[in-house]
Amino acid sequence: MADAHSLDALTEALRRLPGVGAKSAARMAFHLMQHDRPGALQLAMALSQAVDQVQHCELCHTFTEQRVCSTCLDPSRDRSQLCVVETPADQAALERTGAYRGLYFVLMGKLSPLDNIGPHDIGLQKLFDRLGGANLPKLESEFPLVQEVILATNFTAEGEATAHVIAQALRETGLQVTRLSRGVPVGSELEYVDLGTIAHALVDRRSTQG
Amino acid sequence: MADAHSLDALTEALRRLPGVGAKSAARMAFHLMQHDRPGALQLAMALSQAVDQVQHCELCHTFTEQRVCSTCLDPSRDRSQLCVVETPADQAALERTGAYRGLYFVLMGKLSPLDNIGPHDIGLQKLFDRLGGANLPKLESEFPLVQEVILATNFTAEGEATAHVIAQALRETGLQVTRLSRGVPVGSELEYVDLGTIAHALVDRRSTQG
């Protein structure tokens, strides 16, 4: 638009959203201005408030509006287990299963040497501090220490590398370190499962008398 | 997230963007909070500014930050031609061709009886006022009146219906009313063009002796 600079600026800002290219951004900006200005104001408010209020839990680094998140403070959770995930979204997926009652530690992403993301960038030192009991806020100092670390990073090349690095680093600590099992997804037919997955499911096969 | 309500509110607000579902909205919210808080603030600011400053041109109803847009005020444009489009995005597409030097009128969408969108909702009365010279701001009263109306609504069912309604309404006015030509897209092979388009291209065929 020749003379709607704030519309251009809005289109530019919308492009910073993941998965939004130039065309989608323009379409979103037009839509908001033409059909949904209340929605635009609501979004502006929500963005400011989230930036203002959402912080990282001091213990597990998930998103929270408190100093320590409600999961970490929940007395009914099993404090001997710590599940390491890449993102708060992964944590949310695990929570939805209802199958895990331990605590979490959320990394700031995954190792990715190609993108210049190393151990420091994803907060590994914070994980080691957490496991060693160092730097625990006073509030938490009487908590029993973690005994098992469950590595639940993604089963991608980067996620596997991240799990490997953490497992190596924890080898001498005496902590039990486990990894989510690989295998054939529930409900799937072998014919349509990729070969790498089937190969892993063969190697990791378990006794049915277990 | 159990205790990040502002994150939930942000996800909810992002879902108002066209083409963004629950999963994308959550991914966008996580991304902004984890990796791009400056981007979130920039977007919040851009949204507020756009809502505050972007208005509709009094003459052609495109987006502008002035009372009358720069296209309508441009003395080099041909004031006898008025091209009717559905959205500012369509106008932008026509402008990028560089093939049109007349003025525009931007409808607020297209007729869509199924969605309860009638002539009043898309600003047809404003178009007729514009063509009749009624309600023109003083600034514009000495402009020569439009002689040709070029209907450039989309070639969809709704766009065609909109063009048809406008053409009918203008039949008695003595104005020349034209429609963008239908036909085979430039650069395409007949084999891959849909049959309706080929049929129209046959009906609308033109003499090569020009």
Side-chain angles (χ1 to χ4, degrees), chain B residues 109-180:
Chain B
K110 58 213 165 194
L111 291 175
S112 181
L114 286 181
D115 300 324
N116 237 337
I117 297 175
H120 183 73
D121 300 302
I122 65 171
L124 281 190
Q125 190 53 50
K126 282 180 182 164
L127 169 61
F128 301 145
D129 290 347
R130 167 78 176 84
L131 291 171
N135 296 338
L136 278 190
K138 279 205 192 82
L139 173 68
E140 308 300 323
S141 55
E142 68 265 31
F143 280 176
L145 285 181
V146 170
Q147 286 158 32
E148 179 183 358
V149 176
I150 302 168
L151 300 175
T153 54
N154 288 324
F155 284 78
T156 57
E158 294 94 342
E160 293 277 25
T162 307
H164 180 75
V165 166
I166 297 174
Q168 286 295 312
L170 298 181
R171 213 153 45 154
E172 311 278 284
T173 59
L175 288 166
Q176 195 184 353
V177 181
T178 57
R179 178 92 171 103
L180 289 191

Side-chain angles (χ1 to χ4, degrees), chain A residues 62-206:
Chain A
T62 195
F63 292 133
T64 179
E65 288 170 14
Q66 278 83 52
R67 202 166 63 80
V68 175
C69 76
S70 58
T71 308
C72 283
L73 288 178
D74 184 346
S76 75
R77 314 270 322 192
D78 180 352
R79 296 184 174 276
S80 69
Q81 292 185 317
L82 189 79
C83 182
V84 177
V85 295
E86 288 178 18
T87 67
D90 296 335
Q91 178 188 8
L94 279 160
E95 279 295 282
R96 279 197 299 275
T97 68
Y100 180 67
R101 295 298 303 159
L103 299 181
Y104 290 94
F105 187 90
V106 180
L107 299 169
M108 306 294 148
K110 58 213 163 195
L111 291 175
S112 182
L114 286 180
D115 301 324
N116 236 338
I117 298 176
H120 184 73
D121 300 301
I122 64 172
L124 281 190
Q125 189 54 50
K126 283 179 180 165
L127 169 62
F128 301 145
D129 291 346
R130 166 80 175 83
L131 291 169
N135 296 339
L136 278 189
K138 280 207 192 82
L139 173 68
E140 309 300 324
S141 54
E142 69 264 32
F143 281 175
L145 284 181
V146 169
Q147 288 159 29
E148 178 183 359
V149 175
I150 302 168
L151 300 175
T153 53
N154 288 322
F155 284 78
T156 57
E158 294 94 343
E160 293 277 26
T162 306
H164 180 76
V165 166
I166 297 174
Q168 286 294 312
L170 298 181
R171 215 154 42 154
E172 313 277 284
T173 60
L175 289 165
Q176 193 183 357
V177 181
T178 58
R179 178 91 170 103
L180 288 192
S181 70
R182 279 179 300 209
V184 180
V186 174
S188 62
E189 301 178 48
L190 281 189
E191 183 180 350
Y192 302 111
V193 174
D194 72 291
L195 299 184
T197 297
I198 295 182
H200 277 303
L202 262 174
V203 172
D204 294 351
R205 69 191 181 279
R206 47 193 285 263

